[in-house]
Amino acid sequence: MTFQFKRHSSSGDVAQVTYELPALPAGVSGDLHRAIQRYGEAVKEGPDGADDEAFLAVKAFEARTTQDVIAKLLYQLHLNHRGWDGETDTLVITESSDADSAAIEFAAVALDELYRQIPRCWESARKAYHAAVLAEKEYDDRAWTPAYHVSEAGGPPIPDAVNSEYERLQEVRTTAEDVLLTVPAPSISEWAIKYLICFDNGRECTGAVDLLCSEAKRLLGIREREQDAIDDLALLQDVAVWQANASAPIGGEA
């Protein structure tokens, strides 16, 4: 089994044994992610019972992807064994009995299987993203944009059903996009797809910069170094060496 809960260390008196609540996998649906955030805030801030009420939205959400199932399982487990470390402002899973141990171990086994179901193959992730983009574009051309033009011309507003379906397709596409960005690109050409997704046509996905740079270095064979041990000139030198090698004629003749 590859998935294991990590023991949480704290000087606070949270419980005899606590485990870190793993980060949500990329691709969790936006509405579910927001419901989970509200639940976490309710656990930390109260009042008593607010977390149970907030969790109802998490429980009611109909999972659309494997990532959604993982998210719901993780937070159901937290609800059943809830804890919060005030010193580190961290939600934790508490273990206080043999029954707790058994439940947490069973969840780890289930999560191990679920994490295996997340697309990790570049081609399958790319195809899923491509299909999602085409579905969104087709509905935009067929339904949303015509309704928008009618509304702008003084006609009735865009029907709620049209808006809702368009928003659903947008979320499917952004979920597939999040997954694709986390799957390692097999070559610098496929890496360029990620770059265009993040920054072409005025998009500014600045949160992806570090990930993109790290992956580009891997694909170009440029070694990673500690941030405090690198300067602009050293990085440019590494890049220049790669460019010189890449542009050298076959056989090494100038």
Side-chain angles (χ1 to χ4, degrees):
M1 187 171 73
T2 58
F3 178 86
Q4 295 284 347
F5 286 106
K6 183 178 178 182
R7 290 281 290 266
H8 175 74
S9 59
S10 171
S11 59
D13 185 20
V14 180
Q16 185 174 3
V17 180
T18 59
Y19 298 93
E20 293 182 4
L21 192 60
L24 294 177
V28 173
S29 296
D31 286 344
L32 178 57
H33 195 282
R34 287 184 285 274
I36 286 172
Q37 286 181 317
R38 289 192 291 271
Y39 167 75
E41 292 166 359
V43 171
K44 298 174 184 178
E45 299 174 6
D48 291 345
D51 47 354
D52 290 293
E53 183 176 351
F55 188 79
L56 293 177
V58 178
K59 185 175 182 179
F61 184 87
E62 295 184 4
R64 300 168 183 168
T65 64
T66 301
Q67 293 92 318
D68 287 349
V69 176
I70 290 172
K72 292 188 68 173
L73 177 55
L74 283 173
Y75 279 83
Q76 181 68 60
L77 187 68
H78 182 269
L79 181 75
N80 296 342
H81 308 274
R82 75 194 83 174
W84 171 52
D85 182 352
E87 290 190 355
T88 59
D89 194 28
T90 304
L91 295 182
V92 294
I93 299 167
T94 62
E95 179 183 309
S96 304
S97 66
D98 290 342
D100 290 346
S101 301
I104 292 169
E105 179 61 26
F106 179 80
V109 172
L111 286 163
D112 185 62
E113 292 297 327
L114 286 169
Y115 272 100
R116 295 175 192 271
Q117 302 304 315
I118 297 176
R120 300 191 186 279
C121 166
W122 170 265
E123 190 57 20
S124 64
R126 186 198 63 78
K127 286 180 178 178
Y129 173 71
H130 186 204
V133 170
L134 291 181
E136 181 185 351
K137 181 66 167 62
E138 188 276 334
Y139 192 80
D140 185 9
D141 292 341
R142 174 171 57 84
W144 194 88
T145 293
Y148 171 79
H149 288 321
V150 169
S151 177
E152 286 291 290
I158 301 173
D160 289 343
V162 172
N163 266 331
S164 295
E165 177 62 8
Y166 191 43
E167 289 173 359
R168 185 188 71 81
L169 290 170
Q170 286 179 321
E171 185 164 297
V172 170
R173 187 257 303 160
T174 57
T175 296
E177 181 177 293
D178 288 344
V179 172
L180 183 64
L181 292 176
T182 63
V183 176
S187 74
I188 199 67
S189 297
E190 282 86 359
W191 175 90
I193 295 173
K194 293 186 178 186
Y195 184 89
L196 292 174
I197 288 172
C198 292
F199 296 107
D200 195 27
N201 201 31
R203 295 190 76 184
E204 290 291 341
C205 301
T206 54
V209 170
D210 289 344
L211 178 64
L212 286 172
C213 288
S214 179
E215 187 169 22
K217 290 175 185 175
R218 174 182 63 80
L219 292 168
L220 299 177
I222 297 174
R223 64 190 178 91
E224 290 277 9
R225 285 179 285 188
E226 294 294 330
Q227 190 62 39
D228 58 0
I230 190 170
D231 56 36
D232 288 344
L233 186 57
L235 174 60
L236 294 175
Q237 183 181 25
D238 284 345
V239 174
V241 168
W242 177 84
Q243 290 175 332
N245 291 337
S247 62
I250 296 176
E253 295 181 2

